[in-house]
Amino acid sequence: MTIPLVVGVDGSEASLEAVDWAAAEAVRHGVPLHLLHAVAGDREASDVIGAASERAAKTAPTARLSSEVLHEEAASALVVRGRNAFALVLGSRGLGDLAGMLLGSVGLAVAAHADCPVVVVRGGVEHRAGRYGNIVVGVEDGEGSGTAVEFAFREAHVRRCRLVAVHAWSVPVGNPGPPGLSGYALQALRRPPAQVLAEALRESAERYQDVPVSSEVVEGPARAALLDAAAGADLLVVGARRRHGHLGLQLGLVNHAVLHHAPCPIAVVPQI
């Protein structure tokens, strides 16, 4: 049995935009779409799930659609469903979140604890509708980006679009190195940034040879580099490392920043 793409709905416009995005995504990947409405109180759950189902059927008539209502806390319900999901898809803010919040509390909690990729649907219609033909993936040194890179290549493959791989680096604070060396030369003494990026992409690039790839090595903060690249992207993909001793808490400072400020949908992909 094919595991479903699960989208959380709460009746807000942001969650209906997430339904649109998820319906198209389910068709692209040939997976079922499951709508989940979790509510702790007695709001009109049938109206919420009915409106979301109607929206999904209109957006993607060929999608295999199912739905359920759970009377429990939304973030916990979604995290549990995520243990057997292709991905979890959420709107950027729900009905219960304060108007000034850049990302809803449910979305932040789910992204921090889920075992599967979590997509927060952000940005205007041009970003949500895939009009740019680019997917951006952030690549860091070490093993934290491996699953994210694979996810990004697969997305670019099914969308038949370009992949932009971004690796940001900076000279460690308090480590000036030998006199006369530039920042890049100093970093290259440890491990050249271009090599870090090439090695991270190699395995997936061999598997998805039809995907055109652009590599960008940027000196500076990863947050700024990713947000700049995402301005012309349909999807931003970042990895999430497992935090040893803190089960499920996997959002670092860069992930927090892009979840709150990305101009396009963003996928947070836990390291396997």
Side-chain angles (χ1 to χ4, degrees):
M1 183 172 121
T2 306
I3 60 175
L5 180 67
V6 177
V7 55
V9 297
D10 65 1
S12 66
E13 182 58 30
S15 81
L16 292 176
E17 291 172 354
V19 168
D20 291 340
W21 191 95
E25 181 78 349
V27 171
R28 275 192 289 265
H29 289 278
V31 298
L33 178 64
H34 185 69
L35 308 181
L36 174 63
H37 177 48
V39 57
D42 295 323
R43 292 208 305 261
E44 293 296 328
S46 60
D47 291 345
V48 170
I49 205 72
S53 297
E54 183 178 344
R55 181 95 165 223
K58 183 177 180 180
T59 303
T62 62
R64 290 170 285 166
L65 184 63
S66 61
S67 64
E68 71 175 318
V69 174
L70 295 177
H71 292 279
E72 55 187 86
E73 196 273 326
S76 298
L78 285 161
V79 168
V80 170
R81 284 296 179 271
R83 293 170 187 163
N84 190 36
F86 181 82
L88 293 171
V89 181
L90 306 168
S92 57
R93 283 191 293 113
L95 288 175
D97 291 307
L98 298 176
M101 292 184 70
L102 295 171
L103 174 65
S105 56
V106 171
L108 193 61
V110 174
H113 294 88
D115 293 324
C116 69
V118 175
V119 179
V120 177
V121 178
R122 300 179 53 85
V125 64
E126 68 278 5
H127 288 282
R128 302 195 309 271
R131 296 179 182 174
Y132 287 94
N134 291 320
I135 289 176
V136 173
V137 60
V139 178
E140 58 182 327
D141 199 355
E143 300 179 353
S145 300
T147 312
V149 167
E150 176 72 12
F151 180 95
F153 264 95
R154 183 176 60 184
E155 282 295 320
H157 169 71
V158 299
R159 293 166 182 253
R160 295 182 173 88
C161 72
R162 185 170 69 120
L163 180 65
V164 180
V166 177
H167 173 56
W169 65 276
S170 58
V171 177
V173 176
N175 185 12
L181 277 184
S182 67
Y184 190 92
L186 176 59
Q187 184 70 8
L189 287 176
R190 304 172 62 210
R191 192 166 178 236
Q195 179 184 340
V196 171
L197 185 51
E199 290 179 356
L201 300 178
R202 183 173 297 120
E203 186 174 332
S204 293
E206 291 175 356
R207 185 175 298 113
Y208 296 100
Q209 296 185 19
D210 62 318
V211 174
V213 181
S214 296
S215 298
E216 297 184 5
V217 175
V218 180
E219 181 178 5
R223 172 189 182 276
L226 292 173
L227 292 177
D228 284 348
D234 303 320
L235 179 67
L236 171 61
V237 182
V238 294
R241 296 186 183 187
R242 296 298 185 190
R243 307 291 177 183
H244 298 295
H246 300 276
L247 183 62
L249 299 177
Q250 56 198 20
L251 297 182
L253 294 177
V254 173
N255 284 358
H256 268 282
V258 295
L259 278 166
H260 283 290
H261 299 287
C264 65
I266 174 170
V268 177
V269 184
Q271 175 188 349
I272 294 179

